[in-house]
Amino acid sequence: MTAFARTLRAEWTKFRTVRGWVLASVATAALIVAFGLVPGMRGSCGKTGPGSECRLPVGPGGQEVSDSYTYFHQPLSGDGTITVRVGALTGLLPGDDPNQPRHGLAPWTKAGLLLRAGTVQGSSYAAVTTTGAHGTRLQYDYTHDLAGQPGGPGQPDTSDAAGGSSGTGSAGPRWLRLARTGDTIRGAESPDGVRWTMIGSARLPGLATTVQVGLFVTSPQYSGEVHRGLASGAFGGPSQATGTFDHLAIAGGWTGTAWQPDVVGGERDAVGDQLDGPATGAESVERVGDIVRLTGSGDIAPAVVGAAGLGVSLSQTLVGTFVGLIVAVVVGCVFGTAEYRRGLVRTTLLASPGRTRVLAAKAAVVGTVMFGAGLAAAAVVVVLGQRVLRGNGVYVHPTPTLTEVRIVAGTAALLALAAVLALGLGTLLRRGVTAVTLAIVLVVLPYLLAVTVLPAGPARWLLRVSPASAFALQQATPEYPQVANLYTPVNGYFPLAPWAGLAVLVSWVAVALAVAALALHRRDA
Amino acid sequence: MGCVLRAEWTKARTSPGMSSLLATMVVVTVALSAAVAATADPLPGADLPKLGLTGVQLGQAVVAVFGVLVMGEEYATGLVTVTVTAVPHRAMVLAAKAAVVIGLVAAAATVAVAGCVLVGWLLVPTGAGVPTGALSSAAAGLHAEVPVPAAPSPDAVAVRPAVGSVLYLVLIGLLSLGVATSVRSSAVGVGIVLALLYVLPIVTAVVADPTWQRHLRQLGPASVGLAVQASTADPEIGPWTGLGILVLWAVGALLAAAILLARRDV
Amino acid sequence: MVFPSLLAHPTITVTGLHKRFGATTALDGMTFAVRPGQVTGFVGPNGAGKSTTLRIILGLDAADTGEALVDGQPYRALRHPLRHVGSLLDASALGPGRTARNHLLWLAHSQGLGARRVDEVLETTGLTSAARRRAGGFSLGMRQRLGIAAALLGDPPTLLLDEPFNGMDPEGIIWLRRLIRSLAADGRAVLLSSHLMRQLEDIADRVVVVGRGRVLADAAVGDLLTTVSDGRVTVRPVAPMAVGGGEAEAAAVAGAGALDVATAVLVDGGGSVLPAGDGSLVVAGLSAEAIAALLGRHGVPFSELTAHRATLEDAYLQLTEQAVDYRAPAVADRGVLPADAR
């Protein structure tokens, strides 16, 4: 047996023979499970008889999508080109007062050309579109988004609304063109119909010969952040937009028959509008000579959790992690400081004089125990917690298995690292109470301040640099730049990628352990 | 009682960590308030006094450590046997310690909160502020008549939030004393107190169900206690009602501690 | 201050204490009294219930049944308990960051005493020069002195000292013995728990020997020694020809015969004899003088004749033999050696 293995074994014996520590480790897991399975939240999904089940359309990539828009279209076969000029884009947004909508455009209001495999929700598509505040875009299959020129017909109206209008592109009407060649779709734009700029191309694999091609307008759920002093909150609601099109022309191999108006996703029932929100009842298609005016509401985009979406994400079932974390921190810290209580450290160091080795063995023991506790608890919660919520009629966003595995392992890692951080601080400070407080203040307080008090900017900064960054490991749903939403921690979104967040915590732990090891060497036992 | 109080006062006074701990409390409280006040970009109509008292969120952790240590340290060193031998009436020991906590925390908290009010007054921009972003545009009109940027803001000073914050910190100190006495361990005690102060609000924020959220908010010691900081009355918890609920928490913890202390072998 | 001695009532009375910790019986009818003007030794094997008894007297633990009274009152009813009983239980029980003087100062304040009394006891215990050092840095011996200073603080008529000699250097031990004697001479009652029987033998007037949670013996030291020594004498007979320098082998062979002869003579003389196994005999029932006369009359030579002077240790070991549950056959003069005493 190597020296380290012997020390490891000694520390393990030390840990498992203190009943309080073993019980606390079990309690860590039990608390996480209890918080995950307590049937707190209620919803109406599937509770009001058949047909009330909450289900979102699923896109070609397998993810859930929003797919509601006003469409002016016709089926076209083979390859061809469609061109249109978007003359104007106006809209209505929810205001602070829910009964008083104000004029303005949501940043991701869209009006443009849309080519789809079909009008079934979730079907494959490509669109060239002007937007409320993000210029011209080529978007396809819900998750892909290519930027064209900034500016566009929506810009003059956005100056006092959504903010962040870049303003470098020309405002005013915009010409759009969409061309199909086999399963490749190319998008182009022009300020005047003469000078064309290519935006990019999209490949829609397995696209049928006959597709739906036409004009569309849609305007997503609008959400804004409010700060009333320290209370920050969100408000939101459906928005609507009206696009005015002219110079509509079909060319290439396409031969038009008759245009057909449609409101896709607009015929939602009572449960449906809770689900997909943006049906405002104002959807319409108007055609006066050459001019087509579409009013639409909704979005063609991946579905998100939060103010702009609905339901909850898997991360919300893991709220017990915070409680478990406190227990893990206390155990980790006391495992270190108990040595100093009655001079046990002298016995320990006589038995194994390698001080760094003792610290490493302790870290390995407490880390492994907490990892095991976290792994078991998170696995139970991830598997059963969503079932409980769904049983209560709450819509829980499905999460890919790989993400679930990452969340389970991540929760375990979070507990283990927090316990090791506390161990390092405990060894360094030799005072249980100070070390526990410091560990909790470092790991939990940043998250608390970020979800309750701080405005978005400082909150995101705090969640990039503090050990709380590692909560990113629990993020269940990805953040999409092309969907306006409050991507806040309270909704389960973190500023760092999961592994980057983990890296931040690991760095903190490494520094704490290194300083503790140094102190252990420098000072007398 | 006079003797016991004097003894506990001497004990606290001569404990080397205590004065630096209270100084730390003042420093971190004022520092966080200053950081928030300096970086905040409050919307018009924002609750400036509350914003300036953000430091209490951090200061309460140090107060919790203080409250926990007053009793926890005795258990850690075994000194508690000497204390109880000198004063066999154990409830009296607890009462004397509570009195010491009240006195010292109130003094330190007064300094800290005064510091917060001062930095709030100096650093928080005046209510009018410059409208930023789309959101503020709607409300900007309300305060447009007082555009005095970069001047000390009288809006940031209010009496109830400040006095309430001092009382809040005192009550957190008492709660910590009660918890630590009940569990006989500083580390475990501070873990429990900080779980109540920090984790409960997180659970409250993350729990999406509004009913549960309201119940948790109306029960959690931090949320009810800090309601006193709101300049405009919180619709769910009145400022003094909230502090009253926190009093119940503190008294409950101390009662449990007194009963356990009297019943248990030391 | 001089306290009325001997005539006075007991200062501590312990009556029928019972206490269980889970499945373990710690105290099983503990009963004794501590009288003024005496040093009462309190001895017993580990786990016999000494510390538990002291903790119950001091109100730290509660007895299941029975009572412990200090000056006729339960400890917890005393208003200024340190003026009734001074105690030292655990010398390391102090705030390590506080100075020795400040430690005593808060204790003094709790009894309504002032800083002057603190300086007096610091002087008495020889800690004046270390008074402003952090107590956490003290050696065990100095902590014991500080603990004794705390016990003396209220100038109490009764003192309870648990293992006060632990960690003290020889000089400190001498000082403490003198101190304890002088406290008793003042008329104070001192209950002194210790494992060091030799220390107790010299300073205790009385001993309370406990085992398995109850009192095994409660007697004056002198009486106890008399009962224990029981007039035993060790005799080492030798063969006649070996006297005056025979070879070792011859002596051993002849010695066996000499033992038999001597045993017969002494038994005839009315003694009871036990071979000790090392060539000597332990004789009871006959005085040393009678044995010498008998052996001389029968012409049995002997090289050693020792009358036992029983030590407190012997008494203790004999009394606690049952209590430590050691069942090996008793060996002649040593009784039982509780090497594994718990």
Side-chain angles (χ1 to χ4, degrees):
Chain A
M1 222 190 232
T2 66
F4 181 72
R6 276 196 306 271
T7 313
L8 196 61
R9 189 148 175 243
E11 291 300 333
W12 165 240
T13 307
K14 232 187 253 176
F15 187 91
R16 75 181 163 78
T17 47
V18 175
R19 202 172 47 153
W21 296 345
V22 177
L23 287 179
S25 309
V26 175
T28 307
L31 284 166
I32 295 174
V33 171
F35 273 85
L37 301 187
V38 69
M41 198 178 174
R42 307 227 147 249
S44 59
C45 291
K47 289 286 169 186
T48 51
S52 67
E53 296 89 358
C54 303
R55 205 173 292 138
L56 286 177
V58 175
Q63 70 286 83
E64 300 190 298
V65 297
S66 304
D67 205 7
S68 307
Y69 50 98
T70 304
Y71 201 15
F72 185 67
H73 65 111
Q74 60 178 306
L76 291 170
S77 296
D79 296 345
T81 308
I82 179 169
T83 309
V84 80
R85 189 179 83 118
V86 186
L89 184 56
T90 58
L92 286 177
L93 292 176
D96 285 352
D97 177 355
N99 299 319
Q100 285 287 314
R102 57 204 170 89
H103 289 281
L105 287 175
W108 284 103
T109 293
K110 300 179 185 101
L113 296 167
L114 174 64
L115 177 152
R116 305 184 56 111
T119 52
V120 178
Q121 287 189 309
S123 51
S124 186
Y125 78 94
V128 180
T129 175
T130 61
T131 62
H134 295 282
T136 314
R137 321 291 291 196
L138 169 63
Q139 297 190 336
Y140 62 101
D141 282 357
Y142 305 94
T143 54
H144 302 275
D145 175 39
L146 301 174
Q149 299 298 315
Q155 297 306 25
D157 292 320
T158 63
S159 55
D160 74 329
S165 87
S166 51
T168 52
S170 61
R174 187 63 55 99
W175 294 71
L176 304 173
R177 177 174 288 163
L178 195 149
R180 174 182 182 185
T181 318
D183 53 8
T184 302
I185 316 295
R186 280 189 306 276
E189 61 170 316
S190 165
D192 50 14
V194 180
R195 292 171 287 128
W196 286 91
T197 315
M198 180 81 171
I199 303 170
S201 67
R203 228 186 124 252
L204 307 180
L207 196 62
T209 318
T210 303
V211 292
Q212 297 295 326
V213 180
L215 311 174
F216 82 107
V217 169
T218 191
S219 189
Q221 186 84 354
Y222 180 79
S223 57
E225 236 181 304
V226 227
H227 288 286
R228 295 265 180 276
L230 295 186
S232 46
F235 72 94
S239 69
Q240 69 177 59
T242 303
T244 310
F245 301 87
D246 50 23
H247 297 94
L248 175 60
I250 295 171
W254 283 342
T255 46
T257 50
W259 295 102
Q260 176 186 340
D262 232 330
V263 177
V264 177
E267 69 294 335
R268 294 256 157 194
D269 55 6
V271 179
D273 72 28
Q274 171 224 345
L275 247 186
D276 214 0
T280 56
E283 292 82 357
S284 65
V285 178
E286 222 181 301
R287 186 174 187 183
V288 185
D290 192 25
I291 297 169
V292 183
R293 189 170 286 126
L294 301 184
T295 300
S297 181
D299 205 1
I300 309 178
V304 293
V305 180
L310 64 123
V312 297
S313 77
L314 188 58
S315 345
Q316 263 138 315
T317 61
L318 281 165
V319 59
T321 307
F322 292 98
V323 187
L325 204 66
I326 299 254
V327 185
V329 159
V330 171
V331 170
C333 165
V334 172
F335 190 44
T337 54
E339 297 268 344
Y340 293 97
R341 265 282 192 78
R342 299 280 180 180
L344 175 63
V345 66
R346 287 185 277 274
T347 316
T348 304
L349 292 181
L350 288 178
S352 35
R355 298 185 176 191
T356 313
R357 196 194 305 149
V358 171
L359 189 61
K362 274 186 184 301
V365 166
V366 78
T368 310
V369 168
M370 286 305 160
F371 191 87
L375 203 62
V380 171
V381 170
V382 162
V383 173
L384 298 181
Q386 29 185 340
R387 265 190 225 171
V388 172
L389 282 179
R390 291 210 177 97
N392 284 348
V394 176
Y395 183 79
V396 184
H397 276 254
T399 314
T401 311
L402 217 57
T403 310
E404 289 189 347
V405 169
R406 188 246 294 153
I407 290 174
V408 170
T411 304
L414 198 55
L415 286 177
L417 287 167
V420 174
L421 178 69
L423 169 73
L425 292 172
T427 309
L428 184 64
L429 301 170
R430 290 187 279 191
R431 291 270 294 246
V433 59
T434 330
V436 166
T437 308
L438 197 56
I440 292 175
V441 163
L442 283 175
V443 181
V444 180
L445 186 59
Y447 183 89
L448 174 68
L449 292 177
V451 297
T452 55
V453 176
L454 293 177
R460 290 176 77 84
W461 177 80
L462 210 50
L463 287 179
R464 275 178 213 279
V465 300
S466 73
S469 321
F471 285 110
L473 284 166
Q474 291 189 335
Q475 179 166 336
T477 45
E479 192 174 325
Y480 292 103
Q482 73 268 35
V483 183
N485 187 15
L486 295 176
Y487 292 109
T488 54
V490 72
N491 287 326
Y493 295 99
F494 293 86
L496 286 182
W499 303 116
L502 178 67
V504 172
L505 179 56
V506 167
S507 320
W508 278 87
V509 171
V511 169
L513 279 184
V515 176
L518 200 67
L520 212 50
H521 267 282
R522 287 268 174 89
R523 66 186 172 212
D524 303 330
Chain B
M1 182 68 200
C3 297
V4 185
L5 190 57
R6 187 158 179 229
E8 286 301 330
W9 164 243
T10 308
K11 206 191 270 179
R13 185 170 60 77
T14 58
S15 181
M18 289 301 177
S19 52
S20 52
L21 201 55
L22 290 171
T24 307
M25 196 277 276
V26 173
V27 170
V28 299
T29 306
V30 177
L32 181 61
S33 275
V36 170
T39 57
D41 187 11
L43 296 180
D47 190 340
L48 296 179
K50 189 172 178 179
L51 192 67
L53 290 168
T54 309
V56 171
Q57 293 269 4
L58 186 54
Q60 64 179 352
V62 190
V63 170
V65 171
F66 177 82
V68 158
L69 278 181
V70 165
M71 196 64 182
E73 196 75 329
E74 298 226 351
Y75 280 105
T77 56
L79 186 64
V80 66
T81 58
V82 181
T83 303
V84 173
T85 308
V87 185
H89 196 326
R90 300 180 191 177
M92 206 136 88
V93 174
L94 191 64
K97 283 190 183 292
V100 167
V101 166
I102 291 173
L104 287 177
V105 175
T110 305
V111 176
V113 168
C116 290
V117 169
L118 189 68
V119 297
W121 184 63
L122 291 173
L123 296 177
V124 173
T126 314
V130 183
T132 51
L135 283 171
S136 53
S137 60
L142 298 174
H143 281 255
E145 64 272 21
V146 280
V148 197
S153 165
D155 290 3
V157 181
V159 175
R160 176 167 51 71
V163 173
S165 295
V166 173
L167 294 177
Y168 173 79
L169 289 172
V170 169
L171 289 169
I172 293 300
L174 291 178
L175 174 69
S176 310
L177 172 67
V179 170
T181 309
S182 302
V183 300
R184 289 191 275 192
S185 158
S186 307
V188 176
V190 87
I192 291 173
V193 173
L194 292 186
L196 286 173
L197 294 184
Y198 289 154
V199 174
L200 208 53
I202 290 179
V203 173
T204 310
V206 176
V207 163
D209 192 67
T211 328
W212 276 73
Q213 216 164 34
R214 203 181 62 242
H215 288 322
L216 285 173
R217 262 174 59 69
Q218 287 169 340
L219 280 178
S223 49
V224 294
L226 287 174
V228 80
Q229 289 188 343
S231 310
T232 46
D234 190 308
E236 285 173 11
I237 314 149
W240 300 117
T241 322
L243 223 46
I245 297 173
L246 185 58
V247 168
L248 292 183
W249 273 93
V251 169
L254 287 174
L255 269 184
I259 291 169
L260 286 170
L261 202 57
R263 292 264 173 92
R264 265 185 324 219
D265 292 343
V266 171
Chain C
M1 197 195 295
V2 174
F3 294 91
S5 188
L6 297 171
L7 296 169
H9 295 293
T11 59
I12 292 179
T13 50
V14 171
T15 320
L17 291 185
H18 285 264
K19 172 93 178 168
R20 295 179 69 85
F21 293 110
T24 325
T25 302
L27 298 183
D28 186 14
M30 181 74 75
T31 305
F32 66 91
V34 181
R35 287 171 197 284
Q38 295 188 339
V39 176
T40 306
F42 193 41
V43 297
N46 291 328
K50 296 194 300 292
S51 291
T52 308
T53 307
L54 294 181
R55 290 174 64 86
I56 290 174
I57 294 172
L58 293 173
L60 293 170
D61 291 1
D64 296 339
T65 57
E67 61 174 4
L69 298 180
V70 175
D71 293 340
Q73 284 177 291
Y75 189 89
R76 289 175 79 159
L78 299 172
R79 208 168 116 66
H80 290 304
L82 299 194
R83 298 190 189 184
H84 295 265
V85 189
S87 60
L88 164 65
L89 282 194
D90 175 6
S92 18
L94 30 81
R98 216 170 266 122
T99 65
R101 189 171 184 281
N102 283 335
H103 175 70
L104 294 173
L105 192 60
W106 73 256
L107 267 177
H109 286 163
S110 74
Q111 306 302 305
L113 302 167
R116 244 184 62 192
R117 180 65 193 151
V118 170
D119 293 328
E120 282 171 27
V121 293
L122 282 168
E123 176 87 51
T124 310
T125 50
L127 285 174
T128 308
S129 59
R132 291 178 198 274
R133 276 172 46 197
R134 285 158 48 101
F138 279 13
S139 67
L140 182 53
M142 284 175 79
R143 287 178 191 207
Q144 295 281 21
R145 282 175 187 258
L146 182 54
I148 290 159
L152 295 174
L153 201 58
D155 195 14
T158 308
L159 286 130
L160 298 188
L161 306 176
D162 193 7
E163 301 287 354
F165 296 103
N166 275 2
M168 281 209 167
D169 55 16
E171 194 190 348
I173 290 173
I174 293 166
W175 163 79
L176 183 55
R177 288 158 60 95
R178 282 198 190 133
L179 178 72
I180 290 172
R181 281 307 329 165
S182 75
L183 290 170
D186 286 349
R188 290 177 225 259
V190 181
L191 183 64
L192 179 60
S193 141
S194 178
H195 277 115
L196 298 173
M197 299 305 146
R198 290 196 178 134
Q199 298 288 2
L200 282 182
E201 193 171 332
D202 293 348
I203 53 173
D205 302 294
R206 252 186 120 69
V207 267
V208 176
V209 183
V210 296
R212 286 191 180 171
R214 70 180 85 146
V215 175
L216 301 175
D218 180 357
V221 170
D223 296 348
L224 197 64
L225 294 184
T226 319
T227 49
V228 171
S229 58
D230 202 21
R232 285 179 300 162
V233 177
T234 298
V235 183
R236 192 182 295 277
V238 288
M241 60 248 204
V243 177
E247 283 145 30
E249 274 176 35
V253 173
L259 278 183
D260 294 341
V261 175
T263 303
V265 166
L266 293 171
V267 168
D268 283 353
S272 56
V273 180
L274 269 173
D278 60 347
S280 65
L281 300 170
V282 175
V283 185
L286 290 170
S287 70
E289 293 77 13
I291 291 169
L294 268 173
L295 292 178
R297 202 181 313 143
H298 290 86
V300 181
F302 55 90
S303 62
E304 182 195 342
L305 181 69
T306 320
H308 281 247
R309 185 183 165 279
T311 60
L312 200 53
E313 201 159 6
D314 295 322
Y316 167 78
L317 293 174
Q318 202 173 76
L319 283 164
T320 56
E321 178 180 350
Q322 294 294 313
V324 296
D325 204 16
Y326 184 82
R327 296 195 187 284
V331 178
D333 74 334
R334 277 255 125 179
V336 165
L337 192 75
D340 66 338
R342 281 153 291 164

